[in-house]
Amino acid sequence: MDVPVAANVLGTIGAVCWSIQLLPQIIINYRRHDTEGLQPSMMLLWAAAGVPLGVYNIVENFNVALRIQPQILTALSLLTWAQCLYYGKKYTIPKCIAAVVPLLAGLGGIEVGLVFALKAALNRDLSWPMTLMAVLSACLLAAGVLTHYWDIYVHRTVRGISFLFVGIDAAGDLFSLVSVLFEPTIDVLGMVIYGTELALWIGIFICGGVFNLRPWIQSRRKKHHEQEQEPVSLHEMPSSTSVFRTVSGSEVVGRRPRTHASDP
């Protein structure tokens, strides 16, 4: 369906979500001065994914928000990767800058070149390069998230990743996906790109519920139950009194000291 206003509004919301998606993760990394559990390979894969995604969205002439969105993804991904180098591998700040800036410039140059190349290919009625860009971006985005699935499998918990970041990113995928539906023609490949990552993030939420939330709830219930079972003494007991708890935990029994020497 062709509803340009809806496409632009939804695309803008999706771009805003993608613009701030990594900010909670970046803030958490900064506050704890650690990136343990956060996969550096995910950040590199996402930075690379921004190139074919940006080429595809620009050449397909999607709304402005969706064309800017991949550039923000690449920039924030590289910033987060720099944190992994700084906190995880103990790189100095100049060394981090030396690693990130050339990579950012290189990815930007590749994207510009591919935009001109794919526009020329479309003028010659060649469609397979566009299909390649869509598939490549979807695979890189998915591969980035899948690195966390391996970490979850190994450690049996979701660690190092902010669920706020996951939620914002999933919302960005959802709004971007719906935005594509309101373009003049429904772009199936565009839907696959955003839909694939959205499905993987939903899986991360499910894993968080199984490995993080459920044990937390069980531990809280166990702690509350133990507190209820603790005996409460209503009066001070003499220091010579031997006190013990029965098996049921519901009674407290006191043993009085002997008062007669003739007692057995």
Side-chain angles (χ1 to χ4, degrees):
M1 63 183 71
D2 184 6
V3 186
V5 174
N8 277 284
V9 170
L10 293 170
T12 300
I13 296 175
V16 169
C17 289
W18 269 35
S19 298
I20 64 174
Q21 57 167 328
L22 278 168
L23 293 181
Q25 187 68 53
I26 291 170
I27 293 171
I28 285 178
N29 296 341
Y30 173 75
R31 286 180 174 175
R32 68 185 183 184
H33 300 290
D34 187 22
T35 55
E36 183 180 0
L38 183 64
Q39 306 302 306
S41 56
M42 172 183 172
M43 296 299 103
L44 282 177
L45 287 168
W46 273 19
V51 173
L53 181 59
V55 171
Y56 186 85
N57 289 1
I58 291 171
V59 176
E60 280 290 336
N61 201 30
F62 282 169
N63 57 77
V64 175
L66 290 183
R67 280 180 271 175
I68 296 175
Q69 184 188 76
Q71 325 312 323
I72 298 172
L73 171 66
T74 296
L76 289 181
S77 296
L78 287 179
L79 176 58
T80 310
W81 179 63
Q83 286 187 313
C84 294
L85 297 179
Y86 182 73
Y87 294 121
K89 296 188 176 182
K90 308 303 179 183
Y91 279 26
T92 62
I93 292 179
K95 194 174 181 180
C96 291
I97 295 174
V100 170
V101 172
L103 184 56
L104 180 61
L107 291 174
I110 292 171
E111 182 174 341
V112 172
L114 286 174
V115 167
F116 285 106
L118 265 70
K119 284 184 176 180
L122 285 181
N123 292 333
R124 297 180 183 180
D125 295 326
L126 294 176
S127 59
W128 67 264
M130 288 294 293
T131 303
L132 177 62
M133 291 295 104
V135 172
L136 186 59
S137 60
C139 289
L140 289 172
L141 288 170
V145 183
L146 285 172
T147 59
H148 268 288
Y149 276 88
W150 175 252
D151 190 76
I152 292 169
Y153 173 76
V154 172
H155 298 280
R156 293 297 190 271
T157 186
V158 182
R159 65 193 191 113
I161 192 168
S162 165
F163 281 101
L164 180 58
F165 149 59
V166 174
I168 295 174
D169 194 6
D173 287 323
L174 179 61
F175 283 111
S176 299
L177 176 63
V178 177
S179 172
V180 173
L181 294 175
F182 288 97
E183 293 290 341
T185 57
I186 295 179
D187 192 296
V188 177
L189 290 175
M191 294 176 64
V192 169
I193 293 171
Y194 294 109
T196 300
E197 193 186 42
L198 176 60
L200 290 173
W201 281 136
I202 292 173
I204 293 290
F205 270 118
I206 294 173
C207 291
V210 173
F211 294 113
N212 294 56
L213 182 60
R214 188 174 66 175
W216 180 81
I217 293 175
Q218 290 175 345
S219 65
R220 293 282 294 180
R221 287 178 176 175
K222 182 179 179 181
K223 184 177 179 181
H224 180 68
H225 178 72
E226 290 175 349
Q227 289 176 345
E228 288 182 339
Q229 296 300 317
E230 286 294 329
V232 178
S233 178
L234 298 181
H235 59 278
E236 293 185 2
M237 306 293 288
S239 59
S240 60
T241 303
S242 174
V243 180
F244 64 92
R245 188 167 50 198
T246 63
V247 176
S248 66
S250 59
E251 296 178 5
V252 176
V253 179
R255 181 182 298 159
R256 295 182 179 177
R258 295 172 181 173
T259 56
H260 301 287
S262 58
D263 289 344

